[in-house]
Amino acid sequence: MKKTLLLLMLLHCIHNLQAEDGYELWLRYKPVENKALLTAYRQAITAVQVSGNSATTVVIKKELALGLNALLQTTIPFVSTPTGNTLIAERGLSENLKDLGTEGFIIRSKTINGKKCTIITANTDIGVLYGVFHFLRLLQTRQSVQSLDIVSTPQTKLRLLNHWDNLNRYVERGYAGISIWNWHTLPDYIDTRYIDYARYNASVGINGTVLNNVNANAEILTPVYLQKVAALATIFRPYGIKVYLSARFSAPMEIGHLKTADPLNDTVQQWWHAKAKEIYALIPDFGGFLVKANSEGQPGPQTYNRNHADGANMMADALAPYGGIVIWRAFVYDAKASDRFKQAYDEFTPLDGKFKTNVLVQVKNGPIDFQPREPFSPLLEAMPHTPLMLEFQLTQEYLGQGTHLVYEAPLFKEILEADNGMVENVVKGIAAVANTGNERNWTAHPFGQANWYALGRLEWDHSLSSSQIADEWIRQTFSNEPKVVNSIKEIMLSSREAIVNYMTPLGLHHIMGNGHHYGPAPWGYNTGRADWNPVYYHKADTAGIGFDRTGLLQYKPSVQQSYAGNEQYLLWFHHVSWLHKMHSGRNLWEELCYKYYAGVDTVKAMQQKWNQLEGSVDEERFRQVKMLLAIQVKEAIWWRNACLLYFQTFSRQPLPANYEQPDHTLEYYKQLNFPYAPGN
Ligand code: BDP
């Protein structure tokens, strides 16, 4: 008897910890293990009623069947009228719909005709779908569904992913394989990944996707490709996801064979109008264009002595009759600028108020380029008359690429909450550069999934904390076991500060390898362009280190003051003596050493915590993360040693003797090179 019980328990364990390949992301719908909770859930939902027959309703029914049956390990019948304890997902049911807009939802426990029901309702089917995903999340995270009263509306209207995917499927700054869009077999072959991509995005409220790289190929706007784009749009539509395209400014010349792309030229304008008409005939709800212009060699209006507003407005006029928008990127800088930090601000603020109403200017979170920590971009608060999009980067170009575990929610929050929440209040939309590829688990690093998840959740609701989001994600992705949830949460929540410390502490920035951006290269000085060189950014010399931006007036005085008093940003704004006394009592050099070592120590602690989870998370993902953390420890040490040895040539002070001393020389680190580093 005892033996059988043991065997059963063992089998149960094995069943729960079956190897998982990570494909299902956070929609795993694993059976509820806790008997009491399972009983409560089964009692609360004995039937489901979904009326309507739109494509979205079909999706809702499918997801509910998939989720409920798997979670509750039973077949829940679909009924046409409530039979008692029914889950009713239907639009337009409640009296309180007026403030919900087109995407918000209500989930409410209610008694109807003497029967206990749970109502999920909204003004639109898409709203109901969002409510359904929310309800399934409650079950997946094992919360009570007995007496619910939830009203939820998204805080940002545009919640987008930006794919930097090329038409040949190479993903710029991609570390998770090749593009998920198989352009070659589209439009006829519909990979189930496309459907799952839409499900995952809708489950966290993402409502738009830019399919192709901002360094755009005009070919995407040709009839052959537009058919392929239309096929994807058709798949995404029931999930509330619109497609957008990156449009190359010189497309009228490249595919239209015009002599110019001057935005004030009639023929050019007509070309874009005709193109918009053609697109909307195929994709009536096409979102619009994302444009990178006059940046890093991309064509743009300045080529014709016109400004960004001239360019954006011309394209916006073409899209306006159909309700489309232009998202114009503010990521601009050129070799002539005295300080790359300032350029976007200088180029864009004079244009504030000059853009058409269907143009949004998309600003990266920081003034340089997705560094481990940046102050928020001053442009975000300097365009009061222009709708702005905020751009984050999920793909970890500067955050350890495909191999480092870095949970980005704290970074997103830091920006959204900057200047007492001013930033989150000004942005009309949030986009992030995607981290997906055709790797089986979508993001290569299993924890890259958490950043995708966190983005969607925060786009919907800025008030969620990093810890809350991590908690939800872990429960759905790994386990509801408190021990597992807590350990993984600790790992995630310490990871962002760790990478800041072992890569770029105290406000250092842009000191990575040139081109591929992999690994440390603070010594880099000869790329041919000053503002691509690490030495330009840290300005280390025997007197001190840091970029003196004291005269920078782009922030309002209160913000300037708060950055001035914050050591996390010290070297962003000041050139500081090596002997400068820090708050800790250490001098700057000692503090720099302290931070670099602390960063490595944190990663080692993350590794230890993870290793203790052996047997508590499934074998396959346990091993993957274990191997990746070993790489991360190695690379964190590499960053620390290379940077400190190099900065030491200026500080001329010893590494404190109680620290583990570098096992290689500076020369060794300098000669490492990586011609085939990914994503470049
Ligand atoms: C930089 C990337 C580059 C992108 C560029 C951009 O290194 O590959 O094209 O940003 O955002 O971070 O346009």
Side-chain angles (χ1 to χ4, degrees):
M1 190 56 190
K2 262 193 177 157
K3 257 189 195 159
T4 336
L5 191 67
L6 205 74
L7 189 70
L8 275 176
M9 281 170 62
L10 201 72
L11 284 175
H12 182 70
C13 267
I14 293 172
H15 171 75
N16 276 342
L17 294 176
Q18 258 170 8
E20 292 195 47
D21 60 18
Y23 178 85
E24 294 166 304
L25 302 181
W26 48 84
L27 296 185
R28 288 158 62 252
Y29 301 136
K30 289 287 162 202
V32 176
E33 319 79 357
N34 181 304
K35 289 277 174 296
L37 194 59
L38 181 62
T39 310
Y41 284 166
R42 282 182 178 166
Q43 279 168 0
I45 313 155
T46 55
V48 179
Q49 186 201 329
V50 185
S51 18
N53 48 16
S54 71
T56 300
T57 316
V58 174
V59 161
I60 289 172
K61 286 184 187 157
K62 263 200 197 153
E63 200 67 35
L64 279 173
L66 182 72
L68 293 177
N69 294 346
L71 283 157
L72 309 189
Q73 291 291 287
T74 175
T75 307
I76 310 272
F78 278 73
V79 295
S80 49
T81 44
T83 58
N85 294 357
T86 304
L87 178 70
I88 305 174
E90 197 176 331
R91 84 195 239 193
L93 274 181
S94 162
E95 55 289 359
N96 295 344
L97 293 172
K98 64 178 189 339
D99 300 325
L100 286 186
T102 53
E103 295 180 304
F105 60 85
I106 290 175
I107 306 180
R108 192 162 282 158
S109 309
K110 228 175 158 176
T111 307
I112 303 177
N113 299 332
K115 292 171 181 139
K116 279 184 92 182
C117 298
T118 309
I119 312 266
I120 304 178
T121 187
N123 283 318
T124 62
D125 288 348
I126 296 298
V128 178
L129 177 66
Y130 288 143
V132 163
F133 275 121
H134 189 99
F135 184 79
L136 289 168
R137 179 159 51 236
L138 296 178
L139 299 178
Q140 285 217 85
T141 54
R142 312 295 188 249
Q143 297 180 53
S144 161
V145 294
Q146 298 297 343
S147 49
L148 297 173
D149 190 5
I150 299 169
V151 180
S152 182
T153 54
Q155 239 167 315
T156 24
K157 204 171 152 217
L158 294 163
R159 306 179 298 277
L160 267 55
L161 281 180
N162 290 180
H163 290 271
W164 284 0
D165 295 17
N166 292 342
L167 300 187
N168 63 4
R169 299 189 76 181
Y170 188 81
V171 181
E172 183 159 343
R173 309 307 176 185
Y175 311 102
I178 58 172
S179 173
I180 46 184
W181 319 130
N182 189 340
W183 294 111
H184 188 64
T185 56
L186 277 164
D188 302 313
Y189 187 90
I190 301 303
D191 191 327
T192 47
R193 257 188 197 256
Y194 305 152
I195 302 164
D196 287 326
Y197 169 87
R199 286 176 57 230
Y200 300 140
N201 278 316
S203 76
V204 291
I206 290 170
N207 66 359
T209 179
V210 184
L211 299 174
N212 61 318
N213 193 354
V214 286
N215 295 319
N217 184 334
E219 202 76 15
I220 192 79
L221 298 175
T222 57
V224 173
Y225 276 90
L226 290 176
Q227 294 284 350
K228 299 170 191 276
V229 173
L232 289 175
T234 305
I235 297 161
F236 300 162
R237 190 167 296 118
Y239 294 88
I241 297 165
K242 284 187 179 182
V243 299
Y244 297 72
L245 291 175
S246 291
R248 187 166 162 88
F249 196 77
S250 53
M253 298 167 75
E254 283 143 15
I255 58 171
H257 310 296
L258 303 187
K259 294 229 156 47
T260 175
D262 182 349
L264 301 194
N265 176 293
D266 285 346
T267 327
V268 171
Q269 291 171 4
Q270 281 157 22
W271 188 88
W272 283 108
H273 277 264
K275 190 48 76 183
K277 190 171 175 194
E278 180 188 344
I279 294 174
Y280 281 92
L282 288 167
I283 312 166
D285 56 352
F286 178 67
F289 295 138
L290 173 66
V291 189
K292 170 174 177 177
N294 296 118
S295 164
E296 299 186 324
Q298 292 300 310
Q302 292 173 347
T303 318
Y304 309 95
N305 290 323
R306 317 292 184 199
N307 64 35
H308 291 291
D310 296 328
N313 291 343
M314 178 273 296
M315 290 168 98
D317 280 343
L319 297 174
Y322 313 96
I325 60 172
V326 169
I327 304 174
W328 193 267
R329 293 178 88 228
F331 178 67
V332 294
Y333 65 98
D334 67 40
K336 290 181 276 211
S338 63
D339 178 0
R340 175 166 160 190
F341 189 110
K342 296 189 203 158
Q343 190 169 347
Y345 182 101
D346 289 345
E347 262 185 49
F348 278 84
T349 48
L351 300 175
D352 186 28
K354 304 227 160 74
F355 291 94
K356 293 279 165 95
T357 49
N358 60 333
V359 176
L360 291 102
V361 171
Q362 181 160 302
V363 183
K364 285 189 182 181
N365 63 264
I368 301 293
D369 200 4
F370 301 133
Q371 298 298 293
R373 168 166 284 129
E374 296 202 27
F376 72 87
S377 166
L379 193 55
L380 287 168
E381 287 191 344
M383 302 281 284
H385 307 293
T386 308
L388 297 179
M389 289 280 291
L390 172 59
E391 180 178 320
F392 289 121
Q393 193 183 46
L394 303 179
T395 191
Q396 294 170 229
E397 177 177 359
Y398 303 97
L399 297 172
Q401 305 197 342
T403 51
H404 293 212
L405 188 167
V406 183
Y407 175 50
E408 292 184 66
L411 185 162
F412 303 156
K413 296 274 304 176
E414 195 168 278
I415 298 297
L416 288 168
E417 288 169 359
D419 194 12
N420 301 316
M422 273 296 283
V423 171
E424 65 185 339
N425 288 329
V426 296
V427 296
K428 298 280 174 288
I430 301 178
V433 183
N435 58 354
T436 51
N438 75 334
E439 285 271 352
R440 182 66 193 158
N441 73 358
W442 301 84
T443 56
H445 198 306
F447 279 78
Q449 300 175 356
N451 294 332
W452 182 2
Y453 183 85
L455 173 85
R457 297 291 287 134
L458 275 175
E459 284 177 328
W460 186 279
D461 181 358
H462 307 167
S463 73
L464 291 168
S465 72
S466 301
S467 167
Q468 266 171 300
I469 298 169
D471 195 283
E472 284 179 2
W473 177 78
I474 299 162
R475 288 172 183 280
Q476 295 170 94
T477 308
F478 281 106
S479 161
N480 276 288
E481 278 296 314
K483 177 185 122 186
V484 178
V485 176
N486 293 336
S487 293
I488 300 185
K489 209 193 302 180
E490 283 171 23
I491 292 172
M492 289 168 76
L493 291 177
S494 57
S495 62
R496 191 285 180 115
E497 212 51 42
I499 198 166
V500 170
N501 285 340
Y502 66 73
M503 282 190 178
T504 51
L506 301 175
L508 285 172
H509 49 285
H510 210 289
I511 55 173
M512 66 291 153
N514 179 244
H516 49 59
H517 299 165
Y518 172 66
W523 46 81
Y525 72 97
N526 60 355
T527 61
R529 247 182 85 159
D531 61 348
W532 282 345
N533 290 329
V535 297
Y536 164 96
Y537 292 97
H538 63 68
K539 304 206 186 304
D541 55 26
T542 52
I545 180 171
F547 201 128
D548 183 9
R549 295 187 168 109
T550 333
L552 184 83
L553 297 176
Q554 297 183 338
Y555 293 111
K556 44 185 199 209
S558 59
V559 175
Q560 282 181 42
Q561 239 175 27
S562 91
Y563 278 137
N566 189 338
E567 285 185 349
Q568 289 180 333
Y569 300 93
L570 184 67
L571 307 179
W572 265 102
F573 296 108
H574 306 283
H575 192 264
V576 182
S577 152
W578 293 111
L579 299 176
H580 170 82
K581 191 80 151 193
M582 303 290 288
H583 298 328
S584 63
R586 290 180 277 268
N587 70 33
L588 175 63
W589 166 250
E590 291 161 349
E591 186 76 4
L592 202 63
C593 295
Y594 174 80
K595 290 283 183 191
Y596 270 111
Y597 277 84
V600 171
D601 289 346
T602 309
V603 183
K604 286 182 178 165
M606 287 159 53
Q607 183 184 38
Q608 232 172 32
K609 279 197 189 100
W610 182 262
N611 289 346
Q612 282 162 5
L613 290 174
E614 182 157 23
S616 305
V617 300
D618 62 282
E619 168 86 19
E620 187 169 346
R621 289 183 300 168
F622 173 78
R623 274 170 39 82
Q624 282 177 347
V625 175
K626 185 179 165 164
M627 290 186 286
L628 289 165
L629 279 167
I631 297 177
Q632 189 171 356
V633 169
K634 228 159 118 179
E635 296 193 348
I637 294 174
W638 169 33
W639 268 90
R640 177 194 75 192
N641 291 353
C643 292
L644 285 177
L645 285 172
Y646 170 73
F647 291 134
Q648 191 180 32
T649 63
F650 302 101
S651 81
R652 298 179 179 162
Q653 291 189 62
L655 284 171
N658 54 332
Y659 290 146
E660 170 189 76
Q661 299 296 302
D663 48 357
H664 293 289
T665 62
L666 177 58
E667 287 322 304
Y668 166 84
Y669 290 117
K670 279 179 153 176
Q671 53 77 40
L672 297 174
N673 80 90
F674 307 93
Y676 307 113
N680 187 16

